[in-house]
Amino acid sequence: RMGVLDIGSNTGHLLVVDAFRGGPPVPAHSYKEPLRLTDHLDSSGAITEDGVERLGKYMVEAKAEAEDKGCTQILAFATSAVRDAVNADEVIRRVNQVSGLDLEILAGDDEARLTFLAARRWFGWSSGRLGVFDIGGGSLELAAGSDESPDVACSIPLGAGRLTREWLNVGKTGADLRLHVRSSIAEEAGAILRGGSFDRAVATSKMFRSLARMCGAPASSDGQYVRRSLRRDDLAPLVEQLATMRPDDVASLPGGSIDRADQMYAGAIVAAATMDLFDLGSLEI
């Protein structure tokens, strides 16, 4: 039994699993906290004192949860928000000291590779060449390949939280953001497309799941094996709708949540750009 602690840009998530060779890890317990580390950055790009204290407190609590559930090992890693902070080393040192854990930075390309591996393990070899896309709070991960490891994997600073903070919250328009997102993805698209088309295009992450739900995909309560997809034709009108909605109204939509409601418009812009630039009619969730 082990605990995996994922410190993301939006959420801290401890997942306790029973792992064994030759089969999927079986989830035993989950403990989440909406850390919103991207909201705790100062003008220099450093995580603030309040953000560090909030993170340290959560890690102490997560460690206690894991130990209460009988974990013999805890793997802890941090993604974009900590990775890109100018004081990342100091943050890691302080939260490790207070929690007694060994939090490490997960590089962006490694994050994309591990996401691809998870998709490959889930869909299997018969899915052929996979294209895998993941929108987080701080970055967008892209990966593609036909084997267990992707041929190409990259991370682009196009997370929904980052774009909301750096673009929409400072008065720039949706059109400005759309151009920035599409030019950024286009710079990386060639390396992925040179390997050929995808036999299966897959989207992971809470953002893609929420967008799919808003576009009519089955709810999570219907079970994990129900097929879910996000269609480009359904996403296009949703992007326009989100542009005019208040966060409270977004949160009330199917798949919406108050914690991420303010980020949904930026996330939808990234999702639409991804599907357009890779010419994907749909993404399997």
Side-chain angles (χ1 to χ4, degrees):
R1 173 162 285 194
M2 66 188 304
V4 180
L5 182 58
D6 172 8
I7 303 299
S9 298
N10 284 316
T11 305
H13 183 196
L14 168 72
L15 184 64
V16 175
V17 298
D18 292 316
F20 57 97
R21 188 175 299 278
V26 179
H29 180 65
S30 177
Y31 176 61
K32 293 183 179 182
E33 181 72 25
L35 298 174
R36 296 287 297 239
L37 291 177
T38 52
D39 291 345
H40 295 277
L41 295 173
D42 63 21
S43 58
S44 72
I47 296 178
T48 63
E49 183 67 22
D50 182 61
V52 176
E53 291 181 359
R54 185 180 178 91
L55 174 56
K57 179 176 181 292
Y58 170 73
M59 288 177 59
V60 169
E61 294 169 350
K63 181 183 180 184
E65 287 276 334
E67 291 174 346
D68 284 348
K69 299 302 178 182
C71 290
T72 56
Q73 183 182 13
I74 301 174
L75 299 177
F77 59 89
T79 57
S80 179
V82 178
R83 181 171 67 221
D84 298 336
V86 298
N87 60 337
D89 291 342
E90 175 66 10
V91 171
I92 293 289
R93 184 190 67 78
R94 288 182 55 186
V95 297
N96 282 347
Q97 185 177 48
V98 73
S99 68
L101 293 174
D102 184 20
L103 181 67
E104 297 183 353
I105 298 291
L106 184 64
D109 290 356
D110 289 338
E111 186 177 355
R113 291 188 184 95
L114 287 171
T115 304
F116 180 91
L117 174 61
R120 172 61 73 195
R121 292 284 176 86
W122 181 264
F123 287 108
W125 299 113
S126 64
S127 54
R129 179 172 167 80
L130 282 180
V132 180
F133 308 90
D134 184 295
I135 301 172
S139 59
L140 165 69
E141 274 68 52
L142 312 171
S146 300
D147 298 322
E148 186 171 74
S149 296
D151 301 329
V152 183
C154 64
S155 179
I156 313 174
L158 295 178
R162 180 196 299 269
L163 296 177
T164 300
R165 183 183 73 255
E166 297 180 356
W167 288 75
L168 300 180
N169 286 354
V170 296
K172 295 182 181 178
T173 68
D176 294 330
L177 179 56
R178 183 180 186 274
L179 177 59
H180 169 69
V181 166
R182 288 174 181 253
S183 61
S184 298
I185 296 175
E187 290 180 3
E188 304 292 342
I192 293 176
L193 292 172
R194 276 195 290 274
S197 60
F198 309 129
D199 296 305
R200 199 166 204 153
V202 179
T204 67
S205 73
K206 175 71 171 178
M207 177 57 67
F208 270 121
R209 291 198 304 273
S210 296
L211 290 171
R213 182 76 182 97
M214 290 176 183
C215 289
S220 58
S221 59
D222 290 351
Q224 62 179 335
Y225 299 115
V226 174
R227 185 163 183 172
R228 297 172 175 86
S229 63
L230 174 63
R231 296 178 64 250
R232 181 166 55 177
D233 288 347
D234 294 331
L235 179 60
L238 177 63
V239 176
E240 296 183 6
Q241 180 184 358
L242 291 171
T244 62
M245 295 180 69
R246 297 182 298 109
D248 287 350
D249 295 327
V250 175
S252 68
L253 294 174
S257 69
I258 194 62
D259 292 334
R260 297 172 189 255
D262 63 324
Q263 302 179 11
M264 291 305 301
Y265 179 42
I269 288 175
V270 175
T274 300
M275 298 184 79
D276 284 348
L277 290 170
F278 289 96
D279 194 22
L280 301 172
S282 66
L283 285 165
E284 188 160 0
I285 304 300

